[in-house]
Amino acid sequence: MRVGVLEDDADHAVLITQALHADGHSTEVYATGARFLQAMVRETFDVLVLDWMLPDMTGIEILRRVKETSHLKCTPVVILTTTDD
């Protein structure tokens, strides 16, 4: 599977990609919502992994925009977060 990963924390991005690569998946990682949205215009993925909180927007904002994009409308999405709460 081809997986698009949106994660601003470099350590978390490494862990996510290592786990996905170990299962035979390929990944493209983006650190900001803006870069991710730019890439979504031309890229296609089998699944998306989104961080909940990003420096420039939230994962929910990204999800809304992704679901408005016709070629991504049915793409499965997983939202991850790490908080103390």
Side-chain angles (χ1 to χ4, degrees), residues 7-77:
E7 174 57 66
D8 65 314
D9 183 294
D11 292 335
H12 292 162
V14 167
L15 291 173
I16 292 166
T17 57
Q18 284 176 340
L20 290 168
H21 290 172
D23 283 339
H25 306 293
S26 64
T27 59
E28 289 292 327
V29 178
Y30 306 91
T32 68
R35 291 206 185 249
F36 182 82
L37 290 173
Q38 287 173 345
M40 293 306 102
V41 172
R42 64 188 184 300
E43 298 284 346
T44 59
F45 294 100
D46 299 305
V47 66
L48 301 174
V49 176
L50 307 179
D51 188 2
W52 182 262
M53 294 302 296
L54 299 155
D56 58 344
M57 56 188 71
T58 69
I60 295 300
E61 289 174 294
I62 297 290
L63 179 60
R64 284 188 189 116
R65 292 191 186 183
V66 163
K67 292 304 179 180
E68 292 170 356
T69 305
S70 62
H71 74 281
L72 296 171
K73 193 172 282 196
C74 296
T75 304
V77 176

